[in-house]
């Protein structure tokens, strides 16, 4: 409910603009995907599939990583790197034909036109220096997602939680069973987990609120007092 309210408030703020900031498009998409993940965690837990919660939570953490980097500073510049990481990562690919390269770069050129002149200059400098297109779209500013969480997130133990849930996303034995009441019981049937499944929903709710907090900081600073209460 709060996420829906926040989305409406941001949309209302940008309603009169003919061209919206590139960072608004990025945070809108990230926030929307985060809500979808949260609902999937909630519904799967209710239906008896709490065992997928670790994977979905890990994806939700990545939404937090992305929106916190964009929301910290250099918003449109970082949104550009977020949207066009694929193109930026293939700039040095000599296997591309001239036609393939031109087609690949067309969307990036259009996105570049949405940037302010100073951001365009910085993007060009970063491309020339070879700092864009690393393993993560934010590699030029942060070493890894764990580094982002360590430096920007405020939830206690969030970096440790991210590392633990990484095991679930890779099919790890322990972390794939975090939210099962009987983790040593193996079968293909849905099952209720009244003790541990609610923990996944609570955790998901808290991460989603942290995503909301970063969005408030970035796009609706006038709601900052509300964000500090999250």
């Amino acid at each position: 409910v709060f996420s829906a309210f926040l989305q409406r408030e941001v949309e209302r703020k940008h309603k009169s603009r003919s061209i919206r900031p590139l960072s608004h498009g990025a945070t809108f998409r990230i926030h929307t995907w985060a809500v979808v993940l949260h609902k999937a965690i909630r519904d799967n837990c209710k239906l008896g599939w709490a065992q997928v919660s670790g994977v979905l939570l890990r994806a939700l953490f990545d939404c937090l990583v992305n929106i916190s980097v964009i929301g910290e500073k250099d918003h449109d510049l970082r949104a550009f790197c977020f949207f066009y990481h694929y193109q930026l990562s293939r700039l040095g690919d000599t296997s591309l034909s001239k036609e393939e390269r031109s087609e690949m770069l067309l969307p990036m050129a259009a996105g570049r036109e949405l940037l302010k002149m100073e951001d365009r200059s910085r993007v060009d400098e970063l491309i020339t220096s070879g700092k864009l297109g690393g393993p993560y779209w934010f590699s030029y500013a942060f070493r890894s997602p764990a580094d982002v969480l360590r430096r920007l997130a405020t939830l206690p133990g969030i970096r440790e939680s991210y590392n633990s849930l990484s095991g679930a996303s890779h099919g790890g034995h322990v972390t794939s069973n975090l939210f099962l009441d009987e983790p040593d019981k193996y079968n293909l049937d849905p099952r209720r987990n009244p003790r541990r499944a609610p923990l996944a929903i609570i955790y998901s709710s808290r991460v989603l609120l942290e995503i909301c907090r970063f969005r408030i900081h970035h796009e609706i600073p006038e709601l900052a007092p509300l964000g500090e209460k999250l």
Side-chain angles (χ1 to χ4, degrees), residues 35-216:
V35 173
V36 169
L37 289 167
H38 169 69
K39 289 183 176 181
I41 291 167
R42 179 199 63 193
D43 291 352
N44 275 289
C45 285
K46 290 181 178 180
L47 292 171
W49 302 110
Q51 51 267 57
V52 302
S53 298
V55 178
L56 296 175
L57 275 169
R58 170 60 157 68
L60 187 60
F61 269 74
D62 284 322
C63 290
L64 174 58
V65 167
N66 290 333
I67 207 166
S68 60
V69 172
I70 293 172
E72 184 200 18
K73 62 180 182 180
D74 301 331
H75 311 304
D76 289 344
L77 170 65
R78 292 183 173 186
F80 178 88
C81 297
F82 169 78
F83 274 128
Y84 303 108
H85 180 242
Y86 172 76
Q87 290 90 338
L88 292 166
S89 66
R90 299 199 67 188
L91 287 177
D93 189 345
T94 57
S95 68
L96 293 173
S97 67
K98 184 177 180 181
E99 292 75 18
E100 289 173 328
R101 181 177 295 277
S102 296
E103 184 177 354
M104 181 189 76
L105 294 180
L106 273 176
M108 191 170 77
R112 184 178 178 278
E113 290 300 312
L114 297 176
L115 296 175
K116 296 178 181 177
M117 292 304 298
E118 56 265 32
D119 285 335
R120 293 184 197 179
S121 298
R122 289 192 61 194
V123 164
D124 293 341
E125 291 173 4
L126 288 168
I127 290 175
T128 301
S129 65
K131 292 182 179 180
L132 297 184
Y136 307 103
W137 67 264
F138 47 77
S139 290
Y140 75 96
F142 298 88
R143 293 192 303 274
S144 65
D147 185 38
V148 173
L149 293 174
R150 178 181 62 82
R151 292 163 57 182
L152 300 182
T154 60
L155 287 177
I158 196 166
R159 186 182 178 189
E160 293 76 13
S161 298
Y162 178 86
N163 291 338
S164 296
L165 292 169
S166 295
S169 67
H170 298 298
H173 168 62
V174 175
T175 49
S176 295
N177 302 307
L178 281 174
F179 302 103
L180 297 179
D181 288 359
E182 298 177 276
D184 295 326
K185 181 180 178 181
Y186 298 98
N187 60 51
L188 300 179
D189 301 319
R191 45 182 156 146
R192 296 181 66 243
N193 298 278
R195 294 193 308 274
R196 299 196 63 83
L199 297 177
I201 300 173
I202 293 170
Y203 212 163
S204 175
S205 300
R206 190 62 193 88
V207 175
L208 184 58
L209 285 174
E210 182 78 346
I211 288 170
C212 291
R213 192 180 68 80
F214 270 100
R215 190 131 192 240
I216 288 172

